[in-house]
Amino acid sequence: MRRTASSRAAVPAAFVFALMLAGCGQPAGPPSPGTAAATDPVTTVTAPSVATPVTPGPTPTSDGTPSATGATTPSEAWTTYTTADGQLTFDLPAAWSVTDPAGELPEGGGAFAEIRNQAGKPLATLRTNMATGSTCMERHQYSVLDSQELPALTQNGLTPRFVFESRGSAKDPGPANTPGAAYGIVTGPAPTGDTACPIFHFFTWPPTAAMFGAFYNPANNVTPGDPSSPYLEKAERYAGTDEYRDIKRMITSLRPAG
């Protein structure tokens, strides 16, 4: 089985996404799928800039008490950000910040933005104009924790999807030296059967490919519950947190600017 992961240079599939997301760090060890609502008020920010943090208030539950779903509360105030190259737009909590560009751009330009929460923890990276190419050399058990199609990013009849997925199990922890859970956008068919290739979160976007996501990292993605729990168990718990729901809403809001 051959698929196409590198940035202008081929590297093994098990390592490529980790290299792309080096700024997001590496880990030491769902809500039900559906369309994220976008009803909160938003303002507009145009790159290049760093979004100014604004502290959101807690979101009450139906009985009027503050939400205690996860380590954070849902963000009330949202802003809209356009990448420095003017090509893509996404929404994010006003308390989060964007560094754009977050590093050296590829030949021919493109976008390279890093998004951090109000605590300064990196939660996602957006990059475009990426050349990809790798071979699936091994397969592992997998779980899909969340998934949603993204029609706004359809290219050549192919509709990408947002996915939060994991590789491995209690007996088979997943690819060596590679995190076993990640959220991001992917073009291509979902895995079938009992096993899947290493996580490969790239989607088709002119002129080549793009990525918007991160590996789940307990050091950045603060997860309630016992911190000594197995990595994959914590990833499943994180899928039920308010911060994850904010991340999902941000990534699934990605769309062409204008």
Side-chain angles (χ1 to χ4, degrees), residues 85-253:
D85 66 350
Q87 298 301 304
L88 289 167
T89 292
F90 60 92
D91 304 326
L92 74 159
W96 295 4
S97 63
V98 181
T99 300
D100 184 7
E104 184 178 356
L105 296 175
E107 182 180 352
F112 185 0
E114 182 182 68
I115 297 89
R116 293 175 177 261
N117 63 13
Q118 56 267 50
K121 301 289 188 179
L123 297 180
T125 299
L126 169 63
R127 298 189 68 174
T128 64
N129 193 18
M130 304 182 71
T132 64
S134 80
T135 301
C136 178
M137 301 297 293
E138 55 185 4
R139 300 176 66 88
H140 297 270
Q141 291 184 319
Y142 71 94
S143 294
V144 177
L145 306 177
D146 200 358
S147 181
Q148 178 182 323
E149 287 196 345
L150 306 178
L153 301 177
T154 299
Q155 294 289 319
N156 301 319
L158 297 176
T159 299
R161 68 187 187 281
F162 166 84
V163 64
F164 185 17
E165 59 184 336
S166 66
R167 294 291 185 272
S169 65
K171 295 182 179 179
D172 174 18
N177 303 315
T178 302
Y183 46 81
I185 302 174
V186 61
T187 295
T192 58
D194 297 329
T195 61
C197 295
I199 292 173
F200 189 85
H201 286 175
F202 292 90
F203 63 99
T204 303
W205 191 255
T208 50
M211 58 167 285
F212 192 16
F215 276 113
Y216 166 72
N217 182 343
N220 298 327
N221 307 104
V222 179
T223 306
D226 185 355
S228 66
S229 299
Y231 171 83
L232 294 176
E233 181 181 315
K234 287 189 285 189
E236 292 180 3
R237 285 206 307 268
Y238 187 70
T241 64
D242 294 321
E243 182 177 84
Y244 168 74
R245 280 188 280 272
D246 282 345
I247 290 172
K248 177 184 176 181
R249 175 178 166 182
M250 175 181 71
I251 294 176
T252 58
S253 75

